[in-house]
Amino acid sequence: MTSPTYLLGRRLSLSRHHSACLASLPLRSSSLAYFSSSSAATQVSSASSPSAFQKSANQTNSSQSNSNSTSNRRISLKPSTAVALTTASLLSGYCLGTRHTEDIHALQKDRALPSGELRGCCSCDSPDASKPQQDTPLPWQLTEPQKELPSKLSKIVGREHVLDGTRQTSKTSAFLKGTRLGRGAALCIVQPGSLREAVDCLKAIVDADCVVIPQGANTGLTGGSVPRNNTPDTRPPTILSLKRLTTHFPIDDGQRVLCLAGCGISTLATSISTWFPDRESHSILGSTFLNPTTAAGIAFGSGGVYLRKGPARTDRALYCKVSRNKFGENEITVVNTLGVEGLEDSDFVEHSGEDAIGALDVYAKDVQQGYRRVMAKSSDSKFGNAKSSDSDYQNKVCENTGEVSRYNADTSGEDCNRSEGKVLILATVHDTFPAPTKKRVFWVSFPDMETTLKFRREVCLNDPKDLPISCEYLDRDSVDIIDRSGRILTYMIRFLGMGDLMGYLWRVKCMIEGMPFSWAPLICDKTLHVLNNWVPEAIPSKFMKAGREWDHHAMVAVGDFGDGSLDCFMERLDAFVKSYNEKAVSKEDEVGKKIISVVEAESEAEVTALNAFRFVAATAFKVFCVGEDLQGVSVDYALPKNGGRSPPLTDSAAEPIKRMRYSHFGCNVVHEDLAYALGVDTRSEKLALKHSVEDEGGKLPAEHGHGTEYNAPDDTKKRWMSMDPLNVMNPGVGGLNSCEKYAQN
């Protein structure tokens, strides 16, 4: 956490040209200074008196502790006794460790479990995707420059920000082990504290003939942000963690925000709501308590809950590419498409030693320290007018065609988009969005999938001008499993929120599951499953009643944005429901029974409960599998915009005990969880489902990135190879060859 900030009312010393560039930023009418810390964002009026922020000169002394009145007793042992005890302890430790290894292998035999992330996904293109990565001998024969790299990086960022990555410890585990899959060793882990340090570290790593693993919060699900040691490549990896670069600030009177690469989406959401209560950031639900970074969202293609916002995307960024000149020297090219006045490349004299990186570092430091700065604005240039969100998405998602709405292999846009670590993203510009002045949330239930899909086409996606805020689908198995195994989790999110405390508890759970005991990987989920039914239903009974009586459900949030969109949507909803519920029902005992059920959330507490219920789906599925002694696999895919039915399982496929489907219904991105009995070959079942999805015109993956688990299409691979011709940035991602210059070994 940063230290308290103070408004000092003094001017920062800058070079004449640099001062001129930044001073050219016009003073906005709000005349506010915006600055943020790692925990919260603060807004300070320029009229505030500096004296109000002075540190107090008087410091109080802490009270003295009482001395212990009991004297220590000395215990003496004979040397022979001490040797015997030491030998017995070592032998016991060896036996316990050996037994633990046997137990853990027995525990994992014939058992596959899903990640338990809030919206987990997986696939199986990669040959080793479903196999646990084993500890392998490190294949590095270090050269002198590689041996000297850690000390060289220490001189750049400080010794405390360089960690030994050759072994997994309590300090390094968060960097070396993936959230769901992947783990490996690295020569070292470096955490720069400024953009300039990040570029200098990148240059030092590449010059030492090491490969770079860019990393944000390391919350990815497909293994794309951690080292891989089971490849033919003998170059040692170095993790370049950008999580210290958390500064973010608004531009354009809050219409947009500029974020350094380590800024978390939860932190950003809190800041925007504090600075501008009538605006909101791109991501305000989902896995926000894990606080993944905004840069990772761009690099790995996250997002999809919000129909009016689309997936994470921006063409305005500051990022680095690595290449080699004709003399064989490594070159770091900084690409600047931020489009901010005072930060354009044209604002700096060539060879002057000043550039956008230095200027942005100064601005970010001022923000961190609480200096009063004029709010920046976009330039009237090609980059200043470029997209900072997927502004065409509303029209695309409403097209009733055989194409998918979004997927990770999309090659459009600036190179930073879906780059998956092949460039080093330093900063990005993102749109903020109007917050609705009024919101209504409905739980709509249907008897069959055909009616559900018709509701999506005719009511939700009828007009791109009045789309709902979100539309999330749950099938009957989803409702049953969340209710059976997700009540405690739902209550935790309802009452603790999606902030830092929930994130801390999640990290504690992960720490327990990683303890060196055979029972550790399952104990938390077993406990949650056993205690679940001791807890009342997590959502009001009116929703659970509909959940049990109907097979298909849509949670629809609709907002009023001052353009009549809420009224238009409600007219369509009323007409659609009335057309079904007034029809005669063929069976005599069903006359008068509603075909479609609509239940409205009548309070903010009910809305929070429904959101929590939906977003613990994947976690509840893992708890269910562990508690019922089942295997579980998860697959994430996009179906065509004119589709949406479940991809058929093959005749030879094993029958899943549960087939749980929940989706971002508006864009047809589906998360499917399948539970199998122990002993079923889950890898072959995933492969079969993948091929079935593709036969239906779907694409995998739809979000979270390819990582090491998905094989990317050829055009996507070619795009990545053109970004990183030396293959020094995140080698092996998406099925690419991991060796230097993509050479075959």
Side-chain angles (χ1 to χ4, degrees):
M1 184 178 239
T2 57
S3 59
T5 52
Y6 299 90
L7 194 61
L8 301 182
R10 64 181 179 85
R11 189 172 183 177
L12 187 69
S13 176
L14 297 173
S15 69
R16 180 179 302 172
H17 177 76
H18 196 168
S19 298
C21 289
L22 294 180
S24 65
L25 303 177
L27 184 66
R28 313 309 294 167
S29 59
S30 59
S31 189
L32 295 177
Y34 292 86
F35 58 93
S36 61
S37 69
S38 60
S39 60
T42 313
Q43 178 175 326
V44 180
S45 169
S46 61
S48 299
S49 170
S51 62
F53 296 93
Q54 298 294 329
K55 287 184 176 178
S56 173
N58 298 323
Q59 302 291 337
T60 59
N61 296 323
S62 60
S63 61
Q64 298 180 349
S65 60
N66 295 325
S67 59
N68 194 336
S69 60
T70 305
S71 61
N72 294 329
R73 296 176 180 236
R74 179 173 297 176
I75 301 175
S76 60
L77 292 175
K78 294 180 180 180
S80 58
T81 306
V83 170
L85 288 173
T86 302
T87 303
S89 298
L90 291 173
L91 183 61
S92 300
Y94 173 79
C95 293
L96 285 173
T98 304
R99 176 60 185 273
H100 163 66
T101 302
E102 295 172 353
D103 285 350
I104 202 69
H105 285 307
L107 186 71
Q108 294 175 345
K109 184 181 179 182
D110 296 330
R111 180 193 293 268
L113 289 174
S115 68
E117 284 298 315
L118 282 191
R119 284 182 292 167
C121 62
C122 64
S123 185
C124 40
D125 274 336
S126 175
D128 298 319
S130 299
K131 300 176 183 177
Q133 184 169 323
Q134 302 296 324
D135 292 318
T136 56
L138 300 180
W140 317 326
Q141 297 293 327
L142 298 182
T143 63
E144 285 304 315
Q146 291 168 349
K147 292 176 182 177
E148 295 170 0
L149 180 61
S151 63
K152 189 171 183 178
L153 294 174
S154 295
K155 293 177 181 177
I156 298 173
V157 303
R159 183 178 300 176
E160 67 273 22
H161 300 303
V162 179
L163 302 175
D164 178 10
T166 57
R167 59 194 184 92
Q168 188 170 310
T169 67
S170 58
K171 285 186 177 180
T172 62
S173 177
F175 301 94
L176 300 176
K177 186 175 183 296
T179 301
R180 190 185 67 80
L181 73 106
R183 61 187 173 94
L187 179 61
C188 59
I189 302 158
V190 59
Q191 304 174 72
S194 70
L195 301 180
R196 181 70 67 197
E197 288 182 359
V199 177
D200 290 346
C201 288
L202 177 62
K203 183 71 163 63
I205 295 167
V206 173
D207 284 346
D209 196 27
C210 294
V211 299
V212 183
I213 309 294
Q215 194 178 94
N218 194 23
T219 59
L221 301 177
T222 55
S225 300
V226 290
R228 281 82 70 180
N229 304 135
N230 55 350
T231 70
D233 189 19
T234 58
R235 296 170 296 171
T238 297
I239 294 175
L240 184 50
S241 171
L242 303 176
K243 65 195 302 183
R244 291 178 63 205
L245 305 179
T246 59
T247 306
H248 52 286
F249 51 86
I251 64 174
D252 299 336
D253 290 330
Q255 300 292 309
R256 292 167 194 85
V257 62
L258 192 153
C259 303
L260 300 195
C263 173
I265 61 172
S266 177
T267 306
L268 179 61
T270 301
S271 297
I272 297 298
S273 64
T274 302
W275 294 335
F276 306 99
D278 60 339
R279 310 286 296 179
E280 59 187 23
S281 62
H282 176 270
S283 301
I284 58 176
L285 276 178
S287 303
T288 53
F289 76 86
L290 297 174
N291 212 17
T293 63
T294 52
I298 296 299
F300 290 97
S302 68
V305 176
Y306 296 99
L307 284 171
R308 290 170 169 260
K309 300 176 182 179
R313 183 228 168 105
T314 185
D315 290 334
R316 300 176 61 179
L318 186 71
Y319 59 95
C320 297
K321 292 183 173 183
V322 180
S323 60
R324 191 168 291 161
N325 63 24
K326 62 182 180 180
F327 304 108
E329 300 167 333
N330 295 317
E331 290 187 338
I332 307 298
T333 302
V334 179
V335 181
N336 178 12
T337 65
L338 287 173
V340 176
E341 284 189 0
L343 296 176
E344 292 271 21
D345 286 341
S346 58
D347 293 328
F348 304 94
V349 177
E350 193 173 359
H351 306 304
S352 66
E354 297 177 340
D355 56 14
I357 288 178
L360 186 51
D361 267 340
V362 170
Y363 197 105
K365 188 173 182 180
D366 286 358
V367 170
Q368 287 176 332
Q369 295 181 345
Y371 286 92
R372 183 159 43 221
R373 292 303 301 260
V374 177
M375 191 185 297
K377 68 175 184 177
S378 297
S379 60
D380 188 16
S381 67
K382 171 187 173 183
F383 301 129
N385 292 304
K387 291 181 179 180
S388 42
S389 66
D390 195 345
S391 54
D392 297 330
Y393 187 73
Q394 294 183 22
N395 293 316
K396 288 189 295 186
V397 79
C398 290
E399 296 169 351
N400 190 32
T401 67
E403 301 295 320
V404 300
S405 295
R406 59 186 179 91
Y407 63 107
N408 277 125
D410 183 2
T411 58
S412 63
E414 191 66 31
D415 279 351
C416 57
N417 292 291
R418 298 166 301 282
S419 53
E420 302 211 18
K422 302 305 284 184
V423 301
L424 181 67
I425 299 176
L426 299 174
T428 47
V429 173
H430 304 270
D431 285 337
T432 62
F433 301 86
T437 57
K438 181 182 179 182
K439 187 163 82 170
R440 299 180 69 178
V441 176
F442 301 93
W443 179 290
V444 189
S445 302
F446 309 91
D448 53 63
M449 195 64 190
E450 186 60 41
T451 307
T452 313
L453 293 174
K454 190 174 181 182
F455 169 79
R456 182 170 69 86
R457 291 192 305 269
E458 297 182 5
V459 180
C460 297
L461 304 182
N462 178 272
D463 189 341
K465 295 179 181 179
D466 52 30
L467 290 173
I469 297 171
S470 64
C471 182
E472 296 292 297
Y473 168 80
L474 294 165
D475 70 355
R476 177 68 172 271
D477 277 351
S478 297
V479 174
D480 290 345
I481 288 175
I482 298 171
D483 180 58
R484 174 61 190 90
S485 301
R487 291 182 184 180
I488 295 174
L489 297 165
T490 304
Y491 273 113
M492 289 176 70
I493 292 179
R494 284 181 62 180
F495 296 114
L496 300 180
M498 299 284 274
D500 293 340
L501 180 56
M502 192 66 187
Y504 171 76
L505 293 175
W506 182 266
R507 290 190 294 273
V508 169
K509 180 178 184 287
C510 294
M511 182 187 70
I512 294 172
E513 292 174 344
M515 292 174 66
F517 303 105
S518 56
W519 46 263
L522 306 181
I523 186 63
C524 294
D525 294 324
K526 281 280 189 185
T527 303
L528 288 171
H529 187 75
V530 169
L531 298 180
N532 185 83
N533 285 349
W534 294 9
V535 177
E537 291 177 347
I539 58 176
S541 58
K542 61 182 180 180
F543 301 115
M544 281 307 305
K545 184 175 185 295
R548 292 191 176 102
E549 291 184 3
W550 277 266
D551 291 335
H552 304 273
H553 313 275
M555 285 171 44
V556 187
V558 193
D560 184 0
F561 296 89
D563 55 1
S565 56
L566 176 60
D567 293 337
C568 292
F569 182 90
M570 291 307 303
E571 288 176 7
R572 292 199 301 271
L573 175 63
D574 291 344
F576 184 84
V577 173
K578 188 176 181 180
S579 69
Y580 275 85
N581 288 350
E582 284 194 350
K583 285 181 179 178
V585 183
S586 57
K587 294 183 180 179
E588 183 176 348
D589 60 351
E590 292 181 351
V591 173
K593 184 177 180 180
K594 292 186 294 185
I595 297 176
I596 297 175
S597 167
V598 180
V599 183
E600 183 171 5
E602 298 174 334
S603 67
E604 190 62 34
E606 291 187 350
V607 172
T608 301
L610 288 180
N611 284 333
F613 189 81
R614 160 62 183 88
F615 287 105
V616 302
T619 315
F621 178 67
K622 184 187 176 187
V623 172
F624 175 79
C625 289
V626 171
E628 298 291 329
D629 252 354
L630 301 171
Q631 296 186 95
V633 295
S634 304
V635 183
D636 133 80
Y637 52 85
L639 290 175
K641 288 179 274 191
N642 59 5
R645 297 172 185 82
S646 302
L649 302 179
T650 62
D651 294 338
S652 60
E655 184 69 23
I657 294 172
K658 288 285 187 179
R659 187 178 184 183
M660 174 178 172
R661 298 181 79 244
Y662 49 101
S663 71
H664 308 309
F665 199 44
C667 58
N668 247 357
V669 169
V670 181
H671 302 280
E672 183 160 340
D673 297 334
L674 300 98
Y676 293 98
L678 298 180
V680 172
D681 183 357
T682 55
R683 173 172 165 71
S684 62
E685 297 304 321
K686 286 196 293 184
L687 277 170
L689 179 58
K690 170 190 173 293
H691 293 309
S692 180
V693 169
E694 292 174 338
D695 290 343
E696 295 291 309
K699 292 183 181 291
L700 303 92
E703 54 189 23
H704 308 307
H706 295 79
T708 59
E709 200 170 11
Y710 293 89
N711 226 332
D714 288 342
D715 56 346
T716 303
K717 290 181 179 178
K718 290 177 181 176
R719 177 175 182 254
W720 288 338
M721 292 169 72
S722 68
M723 296 180 196
D724 176 29
L726 303 179
N727 200 18
V728 296
M729 304 293 295
N730 210 16
V733 71
L736 284 171
N737 185 281
S738 60
C739 296
E740 184 176 5
K741 295 184 179 179
Y742 307 95
Q744 298 290 335
N745 257 10

